[in-house]
Amino acid sequence: YLSRTERTYLNEHFQMSPKQIKNNHDTFFDAKKKHGDFLLNFFDKVRINAHRNNATNKIGYLISALKKDLENEKETILHTPTAQ
């Protein structure tokens, strides 16, 4: 579900272990479906924002950002007016 490059990025920039990645499998799987090959770009934006906001828990910051991003997509789908 995540490429070797994406897993390496998570390990190097967020210090995520393989177990932590596995524990968040569903979130990463859904994010990969949404962002595809641009998932690394999303990770990088989150990393920059975490640094700017002096986040002490970068992993939590990332997972929260992913979940919020996915939730926003669900809300958009649910609240899209239907054509009549």
Side-chain angles (χ1 to χ4, degrees):
Y1 64 109
L2 290 179
S3 70
R4 169 179 257 145
T5 303
E6 291 161 341
R7 291 190 313 269
T8 300
Y9 185 93
L10 291 171
N11 180 263
E12 289 178 0
H13 295 282
F14 290 93
Q15 290 72 49
M16 283 191 87
S17 69
K19 182 177 181 181
Q20 290 169 315
I21 293 170
K22 185 178 179 181
N23 287 345
N24 291 287
H25 172 273
D26 292 346
T27 302
F28 285 123
F29 184 80
D30 292 343
K32 181 73 171 189
K33 282 194 321 190
K34 178 179 179 182
H35 293 284
D37 293 337
F38 297 100
L39 188 56
L40 273 178
N41 293 342
F42 185 85
F43 290 165
D44 202 45
K45 288 177 186 177
V46 172
R47 180 185 61 81
I48 290 167
N49 285 336
H51 179 72
R52 284 185 186 153
N53 293 318
N54 296 316
T56 56
N57 180 357
K58 291 181 183 178
I59 295 171
Y61 194 97
L62 172 65
I63 299 303
S64 293
L66 286 168
K67 288 181 177 180
K68 183 180 259 186
D69 181 62
L70 293 168
E71 188 61 35
N72 287 341
E73 179 184 43
K74 288 178 188 174
E75 287 179 14
T76 301
I77 290 170
L78 291 175
H79 298 298
T80 301
T82 55
Q84 294 184 2

